[in-house]
């Protein structure tokens, strides 16, 4: 196993979403953290606290992915300091932003700090609708202008949209537009009724199913150019399994990794299973990350996966498992059935096993010889995807009678693969 691999174990913090602030220059209607211009920095973790927590995460996993977001993370002057601390020590660091503050100077600073990708939010191509939804006049124009700057600086970006009744008919055009802009991925988020999002009327379950089916079609259409995925709608995995079994997204053993491979840190240092689940597992100002991650009863319950209702008897529970945050928000229990799913399992169908023996998060020790350069490159790949990469590369080598994995072969394989990885960052994959 190369240096830097996380220690073996079923539950490794592969991806950490970190809400660094509740401050924001916008006040979006769906914001799960209720961020906005009236929030202050009073309760935020200090720079020193952030670096200490980041170091504790890196002790558990030397190659995690950090998703630094807010509110608007660019309102924290120490964002580059935190990003550089994590990236220089082996983490993959990406930033989630509304995009309105991404000047050339800020983009260059983020790149210099080791940030490898940016996610920006676009909720409509109609400026009136987008700007009203985000309570910021001119925000669509500002974010669109930022995409041009990201392209110029060659910094990968993802387009993220939250599905609402207002933009339901626009989703196809948004996917097409994201590809035209050069996005690595288009992520369609489905509402979880937390924060200000609790005030919004969600799509009906039948519309979820219809829209997820359309996303499967877009996913297949754009594979090789741009990834198209659903977020906070794990039943997307059921439709992929049925309609697109070749999809690389099925490398996930479950599409809802909250509390198992994924967690969120709030601006004031609470650890929760995911950004949309406000229930704290622990307080990182009082306890170490390792103590909370390993011992919190909430995380133990999520890992036991003793799901209730139809989710508990569904044959797709290993691939899907429902959205635990939505179950909590709408049913009052994070183990309840996800009410947004229309599928009705009979309970007499055997559990559907995963399609691949190596999935995201699976550790795989290299069996072939690796050149020093290839081994160094492997060490920079996020831990959750590293096992998949090892298997793909070594299978490729064996099929061609190659005894050693080299940096040249890694580049050759990357060029031949559908773009479930970034165009420039080798084998980069975004998660929740």
């Amino acid at each position: 196993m190369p240096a830097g691999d996380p220690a073996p174990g079923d539950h490794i913090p592969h991806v950490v979403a970190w809400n660094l602030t509740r401050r924001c220059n916008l006040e979006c209607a769906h914001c799960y953290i209720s961020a906005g211009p009236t929030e202050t920095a009073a309760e935020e973790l200090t720079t020193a606290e952030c670096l200490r927590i980041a170091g504790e995460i890196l002790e558990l996993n030397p190659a995690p992915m950090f998703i630094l977001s807010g509110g608007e993370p660019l309102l924290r002057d120490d964002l580059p300091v935190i990003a550089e601390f994590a990236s220089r020590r082996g983490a993959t660091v990406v930033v989630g932003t509304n995009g309105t503050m991404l000047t050339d100077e800020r983009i260059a600073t983020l790149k210099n700090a080791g940030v490898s990708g940016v996610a920006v939010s676009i909720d409509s191509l109609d400026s009136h609708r987008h700007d009203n939804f985000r309570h910021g006049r001119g925000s669509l124009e500002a974010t669109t202008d930022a995409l041009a700057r990201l392209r110029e600086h060659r910094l990968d970006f993802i387009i993220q949209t939250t599905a609402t009744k207002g933009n339901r008919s626009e989703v196809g055009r948004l996917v097409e537009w994201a590809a035209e802009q050069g996005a690595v991925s288009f992520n369609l988020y489905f509402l979880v009724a937390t924060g200000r999002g609790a005030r919004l009327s969600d799509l009906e379950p039948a519309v979820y199913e219809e829209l997820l089916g359309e996303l499967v079609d877009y996913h297949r259409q754009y594979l090789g150019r741009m990834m198209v995925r659903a977020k906070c709608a794990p039943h997307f995995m059921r439709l992929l399994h049925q309609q697109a079994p070749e999809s690389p997204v099925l490398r996930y053993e479950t599409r809802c990794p909250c509390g198992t491979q994924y967690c969120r840190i709030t601006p004031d240092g609470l650890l929760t299973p995911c950004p949309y689940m406000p229930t704290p597992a622990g307080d990182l100002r009082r306890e170490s990350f390792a103590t909370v991650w390993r011992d919190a009863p909430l995380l133990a319950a999520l890992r036991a996966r003793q799901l209730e209702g139809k989710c508990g008897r569904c044959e797709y529970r290993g691939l899907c498992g429902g959205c635990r945050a939505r179950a909590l928000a709408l049913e009052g229990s994070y183990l309840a059935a996800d009410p947004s799913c229309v599928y009705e399992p009979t309970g007499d169908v055997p559990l559907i096993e995963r399609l691949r023996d190596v999935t995201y998060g699976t550790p795989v020790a290299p069996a072939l010889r690796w050149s020093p350069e290839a081994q160094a490159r492997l060490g920079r790949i996020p831990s959750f995807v590293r096992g998949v990469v090892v298997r793909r590369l070594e299978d490729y080598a064996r099929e061609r009678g190659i005894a050693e994995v080299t940096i040249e072969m890694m580049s050759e394989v990357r060029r031949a693969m559908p773009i479930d990885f970034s165009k420039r960052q080798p084998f980069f994959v975004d998660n929740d």
Side-chain angles (χ1 to χ4, degrees):
M1 183 175 293
D5 271 351
D10 291 334
H11 304 296
I12 295 168
H14 289 296
V15 181
V16 177
W18 200 328
N19 296 126
L20 289 170
T21 182
R22 285 188 174 85
R23 291 175 285 151
C24 191
N25 58 320
L26 302 179
E27 196 171 7
C28 303
H30 67 312
C31 182
Y32 63 85
I33 201 171
S34 297
T38 62
E39 296 292 329
T40 72
E43 299 299 321
E44 290 176 6
L45 293 169
T46 65
T47 304
E49 287 175 317
C50 288
L51 300 187
R52 188 260 301 168
I53 292 168
E56 291 173 354
I57 296 168
L58 287 159
E59 287 177 5
L60 282 185
N61 180 4
M65 175 178 283
F66 285 171
I67 304 171
L68 304 181
S69 65
E72 177 47 64
L74 292 174
L75 289 173
R76 279 197 65 140
D77 294 336
D78 59 357
L79 176 62
V81 175
I82 298 167
E84 184 171 12
F85 176 90
S87 65
R88 291 287 168 85
R89 286 161 177 78
T92 296
V93 179
V94 297
V95 170
T97 171
N98 61 46
T100 61
M101 300 175 64
L102 281 172
T103 62
D104 283 307
E105 181 180 5
R106 286 180 181 275
I107 294 170
T109 299
L110 292 176
K111 276 196 75 172
N112 290 337
V115 171
S116 58
V118 174
V120 300
S121 300
I122 300 286
D123 290 299
S124 175
L125 297 177
D126 180 308
S127 59
H128 179 74
R129 178 177 292 157
H130 176 91
D131 293 359
N132 280 354
F133 189 74
R134 293 192 167 263
H135 289 194
R137 188 173 182 179
S139 59
L140 176 61
E141 182 180 6
T143 302
T144 302
D145 289 346
L147 298 181
R149 290 190 283 273
L150 289 167
R151 289 193 298 270
E152 184 177 345
H153 286 268
R154 296 182 61 80
L155 185 59
D156 287 350
F157 61 88
I158 290 168
I159 301 293
Q160 306 197 136
T161 297
T162 296
T164 65
K165 292 180 178 179
N167 65 10
R168 164 67 185 90
S169 63
E170 203 179 346
V171 170
R173 176 61 189 132
L174 280 162
V175 175
E176 181 182 34
W177 181 83
E180 292 168 354
Q181 296 300 306
V184 170
S185 179
F186 175 84
N187 293 339
L188 187 65
Y189 277 80
F190 287 77
L191 184 71
V192 178
T194 60
R196 280 196 296 273
R199 307 174 190 170
L200 296 181
S201 177
D202 198 7
L203 301 173
E204 297 295 327
V207 181
Y208 263 70
E209 189 79 359
E210 178 184 71
L211 187 49
L212 288 171
E214 292 174 16
L215 280 183
V216 172
D217 292 338
Y218 297 136
H219 174 78
R220 299 181 77 172
Q221 177 183 347
Y222 287 94
L223 191 61
R225 179 181 177 189
M226 177 184 75
M227 287 294 286
V228 176
R229 292 174 292 185
K231 295 290 186 175
C232 302
H235 23 314
F236 183 56
M237 297 293 279
R238 167 173 53 82
L239 294 173
L240 280 178
H241 184 273
Q242 294 168 346
Q243 302 172 28
E246 74 285 356
S247 168
V249 175
L250 286 169
R251 287 277 180 189
Y252 290 101
E253 186 171 1
T254 173
R255 196 64 183 96
C256 187
C258 72
T260 59
Q261 300 181 358
Y262 175 62
C263 67
R264 181 269 296 259
I265 300 171
T266 68
D268 52 351
L270 300 180
L271 188 153
T272 78
C274 86
Y276 303 95
M277 191 179 292
T279 309
D283 185 344
L284 299 180
R285 278 185 157 143
R286 297 168 182 252
E287 303 174 274
S288 71
F289 183 92
T291 297
V292 177
W293 180 259
R294 289 171 173 160
D295 301 337
L298 171 59
L299 301 185
L302 286 165
R303 292 164 187 172
R305 304 292 286 180
Q306 299 298 316
L307 302 180
E308 301 166 357
K310 67 179 184 180
C311 281
R313 63 177 183 273
C314 182
E315 64 269 26
Y316 288 99
R317 63 188 179 274
L319 293 176
C320 168
C323 176
R324 299 299 95 221
R326 186 175 294 107
L328 176 63
L330 298 181
E331 302 296 323
S333 169
Y334 49 79
L335 296 176
D338 183 342
S340 69
C341 180
V342 300
Y343 185 71
E344 291 292 341
T346 62
D348 56 4
V349 178
L351 179 69
I352 291 176
E353 303 291 344
R354 62 191 188 188
L355 295 180
R356 282 99 167 155
D357 60 339
V358 176
T359 57
Y360 293 133
T362 304
V364 174
L368 299 180
R369 187 169 67 249
W370 288 60
S371 72
E373 296 81 8
Q375 191 167 0
R377 175 73 61 82
L378 181 64
R380 297 200 300 272
I381 293 170
S383 60
F384 72 92
V385 74
R386 193 178 297 166
V388 172
V389 172
V390 169
R391 175 59 59 86
R392 283 175 169 173
L393 289 168
E394 294 199 345
D395 284 349
Y396 183 90
R398 290 189 185 96
E399 289 168 3
R400 288 156 181 77
I402 300 172
E404 181 180 59
V405 177
T406 64
I407 199 74
E408 293 78 16
M409 194 189 86
M410 293 178 85
S411 297
E412 181 181 336
V413 173
R414 182 183 60 175
R415 287 192 297 269
M417 282 184 175
I419 195 165
D420 55 328
F421 305 115
S422 158
K423 296 184 285 290
R424 290 175 290 281
Q425 297 293 329
F427 303 111
F428 171 93
V429 178
D430 171 61
N431 198 356
D432 283 325

